[in-house]
Amino acid sequence: MASSGCCCMISPITHAFVFFLLVSSSLCSVRSSETGGLHPKDQTFRPGDELQKLKIITEQMAVQSPDGDIINCVLLHHQPAFDHPRLKGQKPLDPPERPSGVNTNGMGAEDFQLWRMSGESCPEGTIPIRRTTEADMLRASSVTRFGRKRPTRRVRRDSTGNGHEHAVGYVSGDQYYGAKASINVWTPRVSNQYEFSLSQMWVISGSFGDDLNTIEAGWQVSPELYGDNYPRFFTYWTTDAYHATGCYNLLCSGFVQTNNRIAIGAAISPTSSYNGGQFDISLMIWKDPKHGNWWLEFGSGILVGYWPSFLFTHLRDHASMVQFGGEIVNSRAGGFHTSTEMGSGRFAGQGFGKASYFRNMQVVDWDNNLIPLSNLRVIADHPNCYDIRGGINRVWGNYFYYGGPGRNVKCP
């Protein structure tokens, strides 16, 4: 694998300078507000000017990833979320109260992405954002649909709308305030540019019509979105069943990122191998009891950021369903079912080391407690193409294996 390098070296001196500018501008802003403002001739340090300089500096800071991505370091308050009218002029919120029952042993690893292989990260006060290229835009079906899933009337049990097919486990019939699971990561084959394969959690509310609200996170292989076949850490949200609201990652105003070491949309490494080592990622989404925003945590204690509650209609209160599992797009090129793989590309019956899995699935209750699933149901749209098998034990709690190869003798 090619070694990674920097487009612009982020040295300790640069880190220190960035920190100095952030602190100095912050202090000056406070002083100005407390004294009713200073006359220009009295100001020896102008926050606006210095922050503009800092913006130029951080925009020049970029990490070249081995997979060809360029990761830019962007000031926290210059990320896309703060283009939203409701967020303009604000700053990211402080960390929320975590659900009780969360394992607090260790903090987890933040170096699970290819761009971090050189040990680089973005300075405090900035966040890493995968650079969107002209080629990325040109691959999209249209400019307006760039970074968005195609509209669908259902998230599960239906594979006729736009060819989406699923193998999922889900719980419903209660009020849910979050979910947690560990998912092993693979590199499934995707047959053409207009298909994808993903494994994720959905936090869902509303009907399965045009008012569907979802918050989603997991890993995906999407040649159309990223231009390659690497599995990538992703997020998604919508408030209208994928029609006009929401997007992947940070491609629109919505998700507020707070972490300077994780790049949403960047490639994951390592990945699991057949009959070899298994690599999984743990994700938790939960509703902050104090402010009502939905937070995303990676590993144990690593906050990625949050979805402001005002983005949503039904999810402003709680979720009515939580779903875990795999999804692919079947374009039926040539009139046949796609050979795009789900998960590892192996059926659930092959088990550990061969099939994909979700393990230690839990939900968050009304009192901010992580609790086991009580009524997990599993279902596959096309079990001859992709299937799923659930179980429960003392180590993995609620779990299931899922996936498949797509087109085969029984799935023509």
Side-chain angles (χ1 to χ4, degrees):
M1 181 177 289
S3 61
S4 59
C6 283
C7 298
C8 176
M9 180 63 70
I10 308 176
S11 67
I13 295 175
T14 307
H15 272 274
F17 181 56
V18 169
F19 179 75
F20 167 75
L21 286 178
L22 283 168
V23 172
S24 299
S25 62
S26 174
L27 289 174
C28 187
S29 297
V30 171
R31 176 171 173 246
S32 178
S33 64
E34 289 179 346
T35 60
L38 298 173
H39 295 293
K41 65 180 181 180
D42 297 326
Q43 285 185 302
T44 57
F45 190 93
R46 297 178 179 84
D49 294 344
E50 298 304 328
L51 284 174
Q52 182 60 32
K53 293 176 186 176
L54 179 54
K55 182 175 185 292
I56 294 170
I57 292 169
T58 54
E59 283 179 345
Q60 292 173 346
M61 292 180 185
V63 180
Q64 175 74 57
S65 177
D67 62 342
D69 281 354
I70 296 175
I71 307 298
N72 286 108
C73 299
V74 177
L75 282 170
L76 269 172
H77 61 280
H78 285 161
Q79 64 180 291
F82 291 101
D83 292 335
H84 195 288
R86 296 279 297 271
L87 290 175
K88 279 188 178 296
Q90 297 186 28
K91 64 178 183 179
L93 296 175
D94 292 331
E97 178 187 351
R98 298 172 74 215
S100 62
V102 176
N103 179 13
T104 56
N105 294 328
M107 292 296 288
E110 292 174 309
D111 56 353
F112 69 104
Q113 295 183 305
L114 282 175
W115 77 280
R116 293 292 314 281
M117 288 185 65
S118 66
E120 297 291 349
S121 64
C122 287
E124 292 292 334
T126 70
I127 62 165
I129 298 182
R130 178 184 179 271
R131 183 182 296 178
T132 298
T133 66
E134 182 181 357
D136 292 336
M137 299 290 291
L138 291 174
R139 284 192 305 273
S141 57
S142 71
V143 173
T144 57
R145 295 307 306 172
F146 175 69
R148 292 177 173 173
K149 290 186 178 182
R150 292 180 176 87
T152 178
R153 286 197 169 273
R154 292 188 182 273
V155 178
R156 63 181 179 89
R157 301 195 188 197
D158 177 78
S159 57
T160 59
N162 295 316
H164 290 248
E165 300 184 14
H166 304 83
V168 299
Y170 67 95
V171 291
S172 60
D174 205 342
Q175 295 182 357
Y176 306 101
Y177 295 82
K180 188 177 189 295
S182 294
I183 318 166
N184 67 339
V185 182
W186 296 82
T187 308
R189 181 179 68 250
V190 175
S191 294
N192 66 62
Q193 176 178 309
Y194 302 104
E195 298 182 347
F196 64 64
S197 181
L198 60 77
S199 297
Q200 66 169 70
M201 300 191 304
W202 291 260
V203 176
I204 303 167
S205 193
S207 67
F208 284 88
D210 290 340
D211 67 339
L212 181 71
N213 287 204
T214 74
I215 291 173
E216 309 172 26
W219 62 264
Q220 67 178 161
V221 174
S222 177
E224 180 180 14
L225 190 58
Y226 305 106
D228 57 34
N229 290 286
Y230 286 103
R232 294 170 176 273
F233 175 49
F234 82 96
T235 63
Y236 200 93
W237 68 275
T238 182
T239 64
D240 61 358
Y242 309 101
H243 285 281
T245 63
C247 62
Y248 280 112
N249 308 332
L250 303 181
L251 295 176
C252 66
S253 298
F255 186 82
V256 179
Q257 183 164 337
T258 59
N259 189 291
N260 69 321
R261 296 175 180 270
I262 294 175
I264 303 173
I268 298 173
S269 180
T271 60
S272 301
S273 59
Y274 185 79
N275 266 341
Q278 301 299 295
F279 176 77
D280 60 31
I281 58 175
S282 295
L283 300 174
M284 181 170 68
I285 297 168
W286 83 101
K287 189 175 179 64
D288 172 16
K290 183 177 180 180
H291 296 288
N293 303 310
W294 292 87
W295 282 79
L296 173 63
E297 179 179 288
F298 174 87
S300 178
I302 302 171
L303 292 177
V304 182
Y306 61 93
W307 293 268
S309 61
F310 65 74
L311 294 174
F312 305 100
T313 52
H314 301 290
L315 279 174
R316 287 190 189 187
D317 299 320
H318 59 265
S320 56
M321 174 183 290
V322 173
Q323 183 171 285
F324 313 83
E327 177 185 356
I328 62 95
V329 171
N330 173 25
S331 62
R332 295 197 64 83
F336 299 101
H337 192 284
T338 183
S339 296
T340 287
E341 298 172 337
M342 180 187 292
S344 68
R346 308 283 176 161
F347 285 115
Q350 295 201 27
F352 185 78
K354 300 175 182 178
S356 294
Y357 62 76
F358 276 67
R359 63 176 176 86
N360 299 109
M361 293 177 286
Q362 297 172 284
V363 293
V364 180
D365 69 9
W366 66 273
D367 200 26
N368 205 31
N369 299 305
L370 260 180
I371 59 174
L373 307 183
S374 59
N375 58 340
L376 180 68
R377 298 180 178 90
V378 296
I379 188 169
D381 297 329
H382 290 68
N384 289 331
C385 310
Y386 316 100
D387 67 354
I388 183 168
R389 293 187 183 183
I392 186 169
N393 64 36
R394 288 188 302 171
V395 178
W396 277 19
N398 287 107
Y399 71 89
F400 59 72
Y401 290 101
Y402 70 103
R407 186 183 178 192
N408 63 76
V409 174
K410 295 183 178 181
C411 176

